[in-house]
Coordinates of all heavy atoms in Angstrom, one line a residue:
G304 N 0.8 2.9 -12.7 CA 0.8 2.4 -11.4 C 2.2 2.3 -10.9 O 3.1 2.6 -11.6
A305 N 2.4 1.8 -9.7 CA 3.7 1.6 -9.1 C 3.9 0.1 -8.7 O 2.9 -0.5 -8.3 CB 3.9 2.5 -7.9
G306 N 5.1 -0.4 -8.8 CA 5.4 -1.7 -8.4 C 4.5 -2.8 -9.0 O 4.3 -2.8 -10.2
T307 N 3.8 -3.5 -8.2 CA 2.9 -4.6 -8.7 C 1.8 -4.0 -9.5 O 1.3 -4.5 -10.5 CB 2.4 -5.4 -7.4 OG1 3.4 -6.2 -6.9 CG2 1.2 -6.3 -7.8
S308 N 1.3 -2.8 -9.1 CA 0.2 -2.2 -9.8 C 0.7 -1.8 -11.2 O -0.1 -1.7 -12.2 CB -0.3 -1.0 -9.1 OG -1.1 -1.4 -8.0
A309 N 2.0 -1.4 -11.4 CA 2.5 -1.1 -12.7 C 2.6 -2.4 -13.5 O 2.4 -2.4 -14.7 CB 3.9 -0.5 -12.6
L351 N -3.9 2.7 -11.4 CA -4.2 1.5 -10.7 C -3.5 1.5 -9.4 O -2.3 1.8 -9.3 CB -3.7 0.3 -11.5 CG -4.0 0.2 -13.0 CD1 -3.4 -1.0 -13.7 CD2 -5.5 0.2 -13.2
S352 N -4.2 1.1 -8.3 CA -3.6 1.2 -7.0 C -4.4 0.4 -6.0 O -5.6 0.5 -6.0 CB -3.5 2.6 -6.5 OG -2.9 2.6 -5.2
Q353 N -3.7 -0.4 -5.2 CA -4.4 -1.1 -4.0 C -4.8 0.0 -3.0 O -6.0 0.1 -2.7 CB -3.4 -2.1 -3.4 CG -4.0 -3.0 -2.4 CD -4.2 -2.3 -1.0 OE1 -5.4 -2.4 -0.5 NE2 -3.2 -1.7 -0.4
S354 N -3.8 0.7 -2.5 CA -4.0 1.7 -1.4 C -4.8 2.9 -1.8 O -5.5 3.5 -1.0 CB -2.7 2.0 -0.8 OG -1.9 2.7 -1.8
G355 N -4.5 3.4 -3.1 CA -5.0 4.7 -3.5 C -4.3 5.8 -2.9 O -4.7 7.0 -2.9
E356 N -3.1 5.5 -2.3 CA -2.3 6.5 -1.6 C -0.9 6.6 -2.0 O -0.1 7.4 -1.4 CB -2.3 6.3 0.0 CG -3.7 6.2 0.6 CD -4.4 7.6 0.6 OE1 -3.8 8.6 0.3 OE2 -5.6 7.6 0.9
T357 N -0.5 5.8 -3.0 CA 0.9 5.8 -3.4 C 1.3 7.2 -4.0 O 0.7 7.7 -5.0 CB 1.1 4.7 -4.5 OG1 0.8 3.5 -3.9 CG2 2.6 4.6 -5.0
L360 N 2.2 7.9 -7.7 CA 1.0 7.8 -8.5 C 0.1 9.0 -8.4 O -0.4 9.6 -9.4 CB 0.2 6.5 -8.2 CG -1.0 6.2 -9.0 CD1 -0.7 6.0 -10.5 CD2 -1.8 5.0 -8.5
E400 N -6.0 -5.9 2.4 CA -4.8 -6.7 2.1 C -3.7 -6.2 3.0 O -3.4 -5.0 3.0 CB -4.4 -6.4 0.6 CG -3.2 -7.3 0.2 CD -2.8 -7.0 -1.3 OE1 -2.3 -5.9 -1.6 OE2 -3.1 -7.9 -2.1
V403 N 2.5 -7.2 3.1 CA 3.2 -6.1 2.3 C 3.2 -6.4 0.8 O 3.0 -5.5 0.0 CB 4.5 -5.8 2.9 CG1 5.4 -4.9 2.0 CG2 4.3 -5.0 4.3
A404 N 3.5 -7.7 0.5 CA 3.5 -8.0 -0.9 C 2.1 -8.2 -1.5 O 1.3 -8.9 -0.9 CB 4.2 -9.4 -1.1
S405 N 1.8 -7.4 -2.5 CA 0.4 -7.5 -3.1 C 0.2 -8.8 -3.7 O 1.0 -9.3 -4.5 CB 0.3 -6.4 -4.2 OG 0.4 -5.2 -3.7
T406 N -0.9 -9.4 -3.4 CA -1.3 -10.7 -4.1 C -2.7 -10.5 -4.6 O -2.9 -10.3 -5.8 CB -1.3 -11.8 -3.1 OG1 -2.0 -11.5 -1.9 CG2 0.2 -12.2 -2.7
S408 N -4.8 -8.1 -4.5 CA -5.2 -6.9 -5.1 C -4.6 -6.8 -6.5 O -5.3 -6.2 -7.4 CB -4.6 -5.7 -4.3 OG -3.3 -5.6 -4.4
K412 N -7.3 -6.8 -9.7 CA -7.1 -5.7 -10.7 C -7.1 -6.3 -12.1 O -7.7 -5.9 -13.0 CB -5.8 -5.0 -10.5 CG -5.9 -3.6 -9.9 CD -4.5 -3.0 -9.7 CE -4.3 -2.9 -8.2 NZ -3.0 -3.2 -7.7
E480 N 6.2 -9.9 -12.6 CA 5.5 -9.8 -11.3 C 6.1 -11.0 -10.4 O 6.2 -10.8 -9.2 CB 4.0 -10.0 -11.5 CG 3.2 -10.1 -10.3 CD 3.3 -9.0 -9.2 OE1 4.0 -8.0 -9.5 OE2 2.8 -9.2 -8.1
L483 N 9.3 -10.0 -8.9 CA 9.2 -9.0 -7.8 C 8.7 -9.6 -6.5 O 9.3 -9.4 -5.4 CB 8.1 -7.9 -8.2 CG 7.8 -6.8 -7.2 CD1 9.1 -6.1 -6.8 CD2 6.8 -5.9 -7.7
K484 N 7.8 -10.6 -6.6 CA 7.3 -11.3 -5.4 C 8.5 -12.0 -4.7 O 8.6 -12.0 -3.5 CB 6.2 -12.3 -5.7 CG 4.8 -11.8 -6.0 CD 4.1 -11.1 -4.9 CE 4.4 -9.6 -4.9 NZ 3.4 -8.8 -5.6
E487 N 11.2 -9.5 -3.2 CA 10.8 -8.7 -2.0 C 10.6 -9.4 -0.7 O 10.8 -8.9 0.3 CB 9.6 -7.8 -2.4 CG 8.3 -8.5 -2.5 CD 7.1 -7.5 -2.7 OE1 7.2 -6.4 -2.2 OE2 6.2 -7.9 -3.4
A596 N 7.4 -1.3 3.2 CA 6.2 -1.1 3.9 C 5.1 -1.0 2.9 O 5.3 -0.7 1.7 CB 6.2 0.2 4.7
K597 N 3.9 -1.3 3.3 CA 2.8 -1.2 2.4 C 2.3 0.3 2.3 O 2.5 1.0 3.2 CB 1.6 -2.0 2.9 CG 0.7 -2.5 1.8 CD -0.1 -3.7 2.2 CE -1.0 -4.2 1.1 NZ -0.3 -5.0 0.1
S598 N 1.8 0.7 1.1 CA 1.3 2.0 1.0 C 2.4 3.0 1.1 O 2.7 3.6 2.2 CB 0.3 2.3 2.1 OG -0.5 3.4 1.8
V599 N 3.0 3.3 -0.1 CA 4.2 4.1 -0.1 C 3.9 5.6 -0.3 O 3.7 6.1 -1.4 CB 5.2 3.6 -1.2 CG1 6.5 4.4 -1.2 CG2 5.5 2.2 -1.0
Ligands
LIG701 C1 4.8 -5.3 -4.2 C2 3.9 -4.2 -3.8 C3 4.2 -2.9 -4.3 C4 2.9 -2.1 -4.5 C5 3.3 -0.6 -4.9 C6 2.0 0.2 -5.3 O1 4.3 -6.5 -3.8 O2 3.0 -4.4 -3.1 O3 5.1 -2.9 -5.4 O4 2.3 -2.7 -5.6 O5 3.9 0.0 -3.8 O6 1.1 0.1 -4.3 P1 -0.4 0.5 -4.6 O7 -1.0 -0.6 -5.4 O8 -1.1 0.6 -3.2 O9 -0.4 1.8 -5.3

Side-chain angles (χ1 to χ4, degrees):
T307 288
S308 288
L351 312 178
S352 178
Q353 187 286 127
S354 60
E356 302 292 352
T357 301
L360 182 64
E400 186 178 69
V403 164
S405 297
T406 51
S408 70
K412 252 179 247 139
E480 172 56 11
L483 178 59
K484 285 296 90 96
E487 69 177 327
K597 207 163 181 73
S598 197
V599 184

